Amino acid sequence: MIEVNINKTLSTAKGKMLLDIQLNIEKGEFVTLYGPSGAGKTSTLRILAGLLSVDNGQITVDQKVWLDTEQKINVTPQKRKIGYVFQDYALFPNMTVRKNLEFALEKDQDKGVIEELIAIVALEELQHRKPETLSGGQQQRVALARALVRKPEVLLLDEPLSALDIKMRSKLQDYILKVHRQYKLTTILVSHDVGEIIKMSDKIYCLEDGKINRSGDPVTIFTNDQLSGKFQFTGEVIGIQQEEVVYIVTVIIGNNVVKIIAQESEITDLGIGDKVIVASKAFNPVLVKIKE
Ligand SMILES: Nc1ncnc2c1ncn2[C@@H]1O[C@H](COP(=O)(O)OP(=O)(O)OP(=O)(O)O)[C@@H](O)[C@H]1O
């Protein structure tokens, strides 16, 4: 269980903004911080990692106190069991993939973990290459592996996939979910991508102006609807066409284009470019508009 209750005055372009965040995250949960640019998402991750100070507050992880301004406790970033992945991979350019991972080892730490991570994120073929010779997705796999070398309990992911194309993104999402489950991590992701959030997270916290204004299950938050179904995909509407009494809605889901038959009532507030969830329980898929 991660319990966070922190305050920090931030300086924004519009003046001072109080970051005032309370989180209660279960062990093993995958949560996402979502919200407009400047809402305080990255600052929250940096405070958790011990890279940014607070005005006052507490952070407790599995009953271990990482931060308590009243008791003057502030565990150093190195001693917090955290792995951090940034948008811009931040790998050492002069070291091979393997050396980048080895560099993250703690003194006297068993090197076996390197082999294990190389296998998990499929870097065997790439391990002797330098980062500049790798694609963005490959580099981010290295950054993910590197964040796990010290066996963290908490994984912080700050828009790690936003520079990648859709195919790479989906692959990396699968790797992230794999390590999250395999290492029983508690993972906190910052993301703007609704499809990614719905695919990955158990819970979403929506931040605005430094405060959490809503939290809950991502599908309910984005659709105001409690959808359950045999399958759920998120996609974007690229066409709506009337065919006698029904409408054919064309939706792009990843790299696939699907056509869904909809009633007039389903398409009244739907337009080209809208994000939707396509869900199905039995035979007829339903379309639900996502409210970003
Ligand atoms: N160390 C700091 N001291 C004071 N203010 C800061 C500090 N770091 C960031 N800020 C300000 O806090 C505000 C929130 O920044 P933050 O990076 O946390 O937002 P964000 O929600 O992650 O945005 P984005 O989605 O654009 O990354 C910004 O206006 C930023 O300038």
Side-chain angles (χ1 to χ4, degrees), residues 4 43 79-80 159 162 180 225 252:
V4 177
S43 301
K79 296 226 167 94
R80 297 186 184 198
E159 300 196 55
S162 52
H180 168 78
D225 228 327
I252 185 152

Side-chain angles (χ1 to χ4, degrees), residues 2-285:
I2 304 179
E3 290 166 289
V4 177
N5 181 10
I6 49 105
N7 276 284
K8 163 113 185 153
T9 304
L10 297 171
S11 313
T12 77
K14 287 188 267 166
K16 294 208 179 308
M17 175 179 86
L18 180 66
L19 182 69
D20 182 7
I21 299 290
Q22 289 76 40
L23 299 169
N24 281 301
I25 301 169
E26 299 289 338
K27 200 176 166 61
E29 233 181 350
F30 195 120
V31 305
T32 297
L33 306 183
Y34 174 80
S37 184
K41 305 177 299 291
T42 296
S43 301
T44 304
L45 292 194
R46 296 189 69 222
I47 288 169
L48 271 164
L51 301 172
L52 184 64
S53 66
V54 296
D55 300 338
N56 51 66
Q58 300 84 34
I59 300 174
T60 312
V61 177
D62 288 338
Q63 277 140 30
K64 289 186 284 280
V65 179
W66 282 7
L67 177 76
D68 190 334
T69 44
E70 269 177 29
Q71 293 186 59
K72 299 205 178 347
I73 298 173
N74 189 2
V75 174
T76 60
Q78 297 75 16
K79 296 226 167 94
R80 297 186 184 198
K81 293 209 140 263
I82 268 183
Y84 206 144
V85 181
F86 309 88
Q87 183 182 342
D88 60 350
Y89 332 121
L91 300 171
F92 294 114
N94 55 335
M95 294 183 193
T96 62
V97 165
R98 175 175 271 273
K99 284 271 183 302
N100 262 280
L101 300 185
E102 286 176 356
F103 195 76
L105 283 167
E106 274 175 302
K107 238 178 156 192
D108 307 326
Q109 192 183 343
D110 180 3
K111 277 192 176 182
V113 69
I114 305 286
E115 302 308 328
E116 185 180 314
L117 287 168
I118 284 178
I120 282 183
V121 296
L123 290 170
E124 290 94 338
E125 315 273 285
L126 307 172
Q127 58 178 305
H128 301 301
R129 285 172 48 180
K130 297 255 177 80
E132 64 186 7
T133 69
L134 306 182
S135 72
Q138 291 167 334
Q139 290 190 54
Q140 203 53 310
R141 254 152 62 201
V142 181
L144 179 63
R146 191 181 56 177
L148 299 172
V149 168
R150 293 186 176 198
K151 307 201 165 183
E153 288 167 15
V154 181
L155 180 61
L156 304 180
L157 305 168
D158 196 350
E159 300 196 55
L161 311 180
S162 52
L164 306 179
D165 67 42
I166 192 156
K167 215 167 150 196
M168 273 291 188
R169 234 169 209 267
S170 161
K171 225 172 138 188
L172 257 293
Q173 286 162 358
D174 294 337
Y175 279 116
I176 290 171
L177 284 174
K178 184 172 159 190
V179 298
H180 168 78
R181 289 181 189 136
Q182 186 147 341
Y183 291 111
K184 299 187 172 53
L185 299 166
T186 305
T187 302
I188 308 177
L189 169 75
V190 170
S191 175
H192 287 107
D193 182 325
V194 176
E196 179 169 296
I197 296 170
I198 289 173
K199 172 173 170 182
M200 314 271 290
S201 28
D202 303 311
K203 188 168 179 182
I204 172 174
Y205 290 91
C206 303
L207 266 74
E208 202 162 346
D209 296 331
K211 324 274 179 301
I212 293 165
N213 58 10
R214 274 186 318 158
S215 64
D217 152 63
V219 173
T220 313
I221 292 278
F222 287 123
T223 63
N224 296 332
D225 228 327
Q226 273 193 319
L227 278 180
S228 64
K230 284 241 174 352
F231 70 74
Q232 276 174 16
F233 295 110
T234 53
E236 188 176 320
V237 176
I238 57 168
I240 302 172
Q241 204 185 326
Q242 190 168 8
E243 288 273 327
E244 306 197 355
V245 292
V246 293
Y247 290 81
I248 311 288
V249 182
T250 311
V251 179
I252 185 152
I253 298 173
N255 295 324
N256 302 307
V257 173
V258 295
K259 291 189 183 291
I260 292 140
I261 298 172
Q263 305 301 320
E264 191 169 2
S265 60
E266 286 181 280
I267 61 115
T268 44
D269 71 338
L270 211 58
I272 309 267
D274 279 349
K275 302 263 169 57
V276 287
I277 293 179
V278 182
S280 168
K281 255 195 178 140
F283 299 109
N284 292 332

